[in-house]
Amino acid sequence: MRNPKVVVIGSGKLAHQLFPALHQTGNIDFVQVLSRKQHKGSKLAAILQCEVISSLDEIQESADIIFLAVPDSEIKELSSKLSNHKGAIVHSSGATDIEEIQHSNPAVFYPLQTFSMDKSVDFTAVPICIESPSSDLLKILENLAKSISKKVYFLNSEQRKYIHIAAVFACNFSNLMYQVSEDILDSKDIDPTILHNLIKETALKIQEMPAREAQTGPAVRKDSNTLQLHENILTQYPESYQKIYQLLSQQIQLNDER
Amino acid sequence: MRNPKVVVIGSGKLAHQLFPALHQTGNIDFVQVLSRKQHKGSKLAAILQCEVISSLDEIQESADIIFLAVPDSEIKELSSKLSNHKGAIVHSSGATDIEEIQHSNPAVFYPLQTFSMDKSVDFTAVPICIESPSSDLLKILENLAKSISKKVYFLNSEQRKYIHIAAVFACNFSNLMYQVSEDILDSKDIDPTILHNLIKETALKIQEMPAREAQTGPAVRKDSNTLQLHENILTQYPESYQKIYQLLSQQIQLNDER
């Protein structure tokens, strides 16, 4: 099977992590990068050893796949502008239904991971969720996914939507909790690295037991003195920190009773 | 220096992790365990190769240290009942001031970690926060702490209080977020292990950059369509999940603007 010829649209954090990883496998030929952000687009094209283009009209007709690494809100319109292209259109969004793609050969290739520009990702353990009504296209995407990851899932848009919202809690909201804890320690000139081991162990603990069983701390042990002490301390910080403390402590107690 | 002779009061999760680790170093002689919970007390005493007792009156007069591994709310009263004992009284609580100890030779030995009965803890990287007005006692505790951990901190009660509340956000509240994500996936029969890599990477990412810079997801990128989609999905779950989603998404946006 010859390598698929792929055009990339977008040059954000996901694009800068995923496509170089795919490029390194040698199983894919990137042919063009299109990006509104010229500097990032050129940087990505240089890594992928392909040309950078500046409009949809320039997309090669012979491309097999046009990969959309763009904000969710742009997928529908962008794909409709490409509806006559004979290749496939693939998006990489967790929250977006495959039906948003206005094209006869749609697919989804969603890596379940948090991406930053500066921290390079080892894809081996990153779940990649793929979906397509076309079995041929699905096979191509499966091969690509398996060339970088050991965890490839065939999931429909409905399942992916629930995974995505669960990921917001597990990743984005956990990270907010880390941020609040850094704020609290910063305010007392205490080095936040003192929490790093605890944070790591908390994340690893739920790989061995359900989170419900792993819960510890003043809320779950109904230690009302400590809860009160903490609420008093939090009056020094933004009011919302107190609200978050109360709401989450209540939820821990509710979940414990269920 | 001869080994300190130590009496343990309490046999909960912390006691079952910390004291066996100290016992293994050979630098401490456990002499008695006192616990209201007979079964757990006997189990711990067997591990520590010492006798189990059932009342404060039985505590050996020659004990150097009485270690309180009891609920925070019991530290004050319990220590006042031991005020005539000539040894030192040490508590292991993050939230409790050293002054709660009603004894002339008080100290704190606080391991910053989340403890479960079934997951044994490697103390090497666990920060241990110690405090005492007595330099002799502090030296003994420092030696004990260093015999199990590479991270020993000399912190006062005020600093420890802030570390403890920061730990509630970083550990207990993160764990609640994991729990909500497990609930959401369970409700759709999706194996929650699909999130394990993401959870681990999120925890490791902030060891390389501040949590503020590590933030990703629909809230920080102000993706109002996805936020709305998620709020709609959450109407299927306890109402408080929606409230948590809204409050935390708002906070991510507030922190991003600061």
Side-chain angles (χ1 to χ4, degrees), chain A residues 13 72-73 95 112-116 119 125-127 129 153 155 158-159 161-185 188 190 194-218 221 223 225-226 229-230 233-234 236-238 240-241 243-245 247-249 251-252 254-255 258, chain B residues 13 72-73 95 112-116 119 125-127 129 153 155 158-159 161-185 188 190 194-218 221 223 225-226 229-230 233-234 236-238 240-241 243-245 247-249 251-252 254-255 258:
Chain A
K13 292 184 281 191
D72 296 3
S73 57
L112 181 55
Q113 185 55 279
T114 169
F115 295 104
S116 295
K119 185 180 189 302
V126 174
C129 309
Y153 293 79
L155 295 172
E158 178 76 0
Q159 292 167 315
K161 205 161 63 180
Y162 284 87
I163 289 171
H164 186 249
I165 189 168
V168 167
F169 280 91
C171 168
N172 307 150
F173 291 168
S174 288
N175 188 69
L176 174 65
M177 299 301 117
Y178 305 155
Q179 199 177 315
V180 174
S181 72
E182 287 178 5
D183 275 359
I184 291 170
L185 295 181
K188 294 286 152 183
I190 299 167
I194 197 171
L195 289 179
H196 283 182
N197 182 260
L198 177 66
I199 286 170
K200 192 177 80 182
E201 287 304 312
T202 305
L204 293 177
K205 199 173 172 184
I206 55 113
Q207 323 229 338
E208 292 186 26
M209 63 182 85
R212 192 176 304 260
E213 286 172 28
Q215 193 57 274
T216 58
R221 62 173 190 262
D223 177 350
N225 290 333
T226 303
L229 172 74
H230 285 172
I233 291 174
L234 286 173
Q236 300 162 46
Y237 298 95
S240 49
Y241 284 11
K243 266 200 220 164
I244 291 172
Y245 188 92
L247 188 61
L248 300 188
S249 293
Q251 190 64 47
I252 287 173
L254 279 171
N255 284 8
R258 275 197 310 188
Chain B
K13 292 183 282 190
D72 296 3
S73 58
L112 180 55
Q113 186 55 279
T114 169
F115 295 104
S116 295
K119 184 181 189 302
V126 174
C129 308
Y153 292 80
L155 295 172
E158 178 75 0
Q159 293 168 315
K161 208 161 60 179
Y162 283 87
I163 289 171
H164 186 248
I165 189 168
V168 167
F169 280 91
C171 167
N172 308 150
F173 291 168
S174 289
N175 188 70
L176 174 64
M177 298 301 117
Y178 304 156
Q179 200 177 314
V180 173
S181 71
E182 287 178 4
D183 275 0
I184 290 170
L185 295 181
K188 294 287 152 181
I190 299 168
I194 196 171
L195 289 179
H196 283 183
N197 182 259
L198 178 65
I199 285 171
K200 193 178 80 184
E201 288 303 313
T202 305
L204 294 178
K205 198 173 171 185
I206 55 113
Q207 324 231 338
E208 292 185 27
M209 63 182 87
R212 193 177 303 261
E213 286 173 28
Q215 193 57 272
T216 58
R221 63 172 188 261
D223 176 350
N225 289 334
T226 302
L229 172 74
H230 286 172
I233 291 175
L234 286 172
Q236 299 163 47
Y237 298 95
S240 49
Y241 283 10
K243 267 200 220 165
I244 290 171
Y245 188 92
L247 188 60
L248 299 187
S249 294
Q251 190 64 48
I252 287 172
L254 279 171
N255 285 7
R258 278 196 309 186

Side-chain angles (χ1 to χ4, degrees), chain B residues 9-255:
Chain B
I9 304 185
S11 62
K13 292 183 282 190
L14 176 131
H16 268 275
Q17 298 284 351
L18 176 61
F19 301 125
L22 285 169
H23 178 63
Q24 279 191 355
T25 66
N27 296 327
I28 186 167
D29 292 340
F30 288 100
V31 292
Q32 294 171 317
V33 170
L34 171 58
S35 171
R36 269 193 309 247
K37 291 172 184 164
Q38 224 180 351
H39 176 69
K40 283 187 182 173
S42 301
K43 196 175 153 195
L44 183 59
I47 297 168
L48 304 180
Q49 297 175 296
C50 68
E51 67 166 338
V52 64
I53 56 175
S54 54
S55 83
L56 295 173
D57 306 332
E58 296 171 64
I59 289 178
Q60 283 190 16
E61 277 186 37
S62 62
D64 300 302
I65 293 172
I66 301 172
F67 216 123
L68 310 184
V70 299
D72 296 3
S73 58
E74 298 176 17
I75 290 170
K76 192 169 185 173
E77 199 189 328
L78 190 55
S79 60
S80 77
K81 287 180 183 164
L82 294 163
S83 60
N84 290 325
H85 192 283
K86 66 180 177 48
I89 309 281
V90 181
H91 82 54
S92 52
S93 158
T96 309
D97 206 292
I98 193 170
E99 294 188 359
E100 293 276 301
I101 299 174
Q102 309 295 302
H103 190 277
S104 58
N105 199 11
V108 179
F109 189 100
Y110 169 57
L112 180 55
Q113 186 55 279
T114 169
F115 295 104
S116 295
M117 274 293 178
D118 300 329
K119 184 181 189 302
S120 85
V121 170
D122 169 13
F123 278 89
T124 321
V126 174
I128 296 182
C129 308
I130 57 177
E131 175 182 14
S132 179
S134 153
S135 57
D136 288 351
L137 182 52
L138 204 57
K139 191 69 205 164
I140 293 170
L141 296 179
E142 182 187 356
N143 287 339
L144 289 178
K146 286 186 172 166
S147 71
I148 53 171
S149 167
K150 287 180 184 160
K151 309 244 176 186
V152 179
Y153 292 80
F154 297 85
L155 295 172
N156 64 34
S157 289
E158 178 75 0
Q159 293 168 315
R160 199 173 54 251
K161 208 161 60 179
Y162 283 87
I163 289 171
H164 186 248
I165 189 168
V168 167
F169 280 91
C171 167
N172 308 150
F173 291 168
S174 289
N175 188 70
L176 174 64
M177 298 301 117
Y178 304 156
Q179 200 177 314
V180 173
S181 71
E182 287 178 4
D183 275 0
I184 290 170
L185 295 181
D186 278 347
S187 74
K188 294 287 152 181
D189 285 326
I190 299 168
D191 183 349
T193 60
I194 196 171
L195 289 179
H196 283 183
N197 182 259
L198 178 65
I199 285 171
K200 193 178 80 184
E201 288 303 313
T202 305
L204 294 178
K205 198 173 171 185
I206 55 113
Q207 324 231 338
E208 292 185 27
M209 63 182 87
R212 193 177 303 261
E213 286 173 28
Q215 193 57 272
T216 58
V220 76
R221 63 172 188 261
K222 297 185 178 54
D223 176 350
S224 53
N225 289 334
T226 302
L227 293 171
Q228 191 56 57
L229 172 74
H230 286 172
E231 287 184 29
N232 294 345
I233 291 175
L234 286 172
T235 55
Q236 299 163 47
Y237 298 95
E239 205 189 327
S240 49
Y241 283 10
Q242 248 182 299
K243 267 200 220 165
I244 290 171
Y245 188 92
Q246 287 167 347
L247 188 60
L248 299 187
S249 294
Q250 277 164 22
Q251 190 64 48
I252 287 172
Q253 297 184 341
L254 279 171
N255 285 7

Side-chain angles (χ1 to χ4, degrees), chain A residues 31 120 160:
Chain A
V31 291
S120 86
R160 199 173 54 251

